Amino acid sequence: APKEAPKEAPKEADPSEDKGIAVFGDGKGDPAGLEGGQAGGVAGGMVGGAIALPEDGIPPVPAKTNPIPDYPQEARAAGKIGTVILKVVILADGTVARVEVMRGDEPFASAAVKAVKQWKYEPARFKGQAITVYRIIQIPFKLNV
C-alpha cells in the first residue's frame, strides 16, 4: 500500500489501446463476445456468465412440461424421505447448464440431478435482455401415505 497520496491524478487511458474483454465459457461461447462468454453475460457478472438475479430482474420461469424427479425404488421400499437442494445455472436460452448438489443424500440427489438436467425455462431477463443466472432449487421427496 502506498505510504502517501499521489500529488497528480493518473493520466486517462487511451481508448485506442482497449483490447476488448476476455471471453470464457463452458463450451457454449457467445459469438457476439458478450461478457462472460455466453449470451446473457453482463458487466460485473461471474466467469461463465452466471449471476444472481439482479434486484429488478425478471426470474426464469420453469416450463410446465418439466419432468418431476422419479422417486428412487430402493428409497420407496425402505420408506425413506428426503430433500435435495441444488444450485442450477440457467442459460440465457433457457437450458440448464450446470447442476450442483448443495445438500441431499443418495439416492435422492442422483434422481433430482437427472430430472433437473432435462428442465427448460423461459430465461431470466434484465433490462429486456435474456441473461444467464443461477437459482437455488429445493426438491422434496415425500411418500404419499
Side-chain angles (χ1 to χ4, degrees), residues 20-53:
I21 53 177
V23 176
F24 175 83
D26 53 352
K28 293 187 178 183
D30 176 28
L34 294 174
E35 184 140 3
Q38 298 174 348
V42 295
M46 294 173 24
V47 172
I51 61 168
L53 184 68

Side-chain angles (χ1 to χ4, degrees), residues 27-85:
K28 293 187 178 183
D30 176 28
L34 294 174
E35 184 140 3
Q38 298 174 348
V42 295
M46 294 173 24
V47 172
I51 61 168
L53 184 68
E55 194 171 302
D56 52 348
I58 299 169
V61 177
K64 294 182 189 305
T65 57
N66 286 344
I68 296 170
D70 292 328
Y71 207 104
Q73 284 300 109
E74 62 270 26
R76 184 183 304 278
K80 286 185 169 182
I81 60 170
T83 299
V84 177
I85 299 176

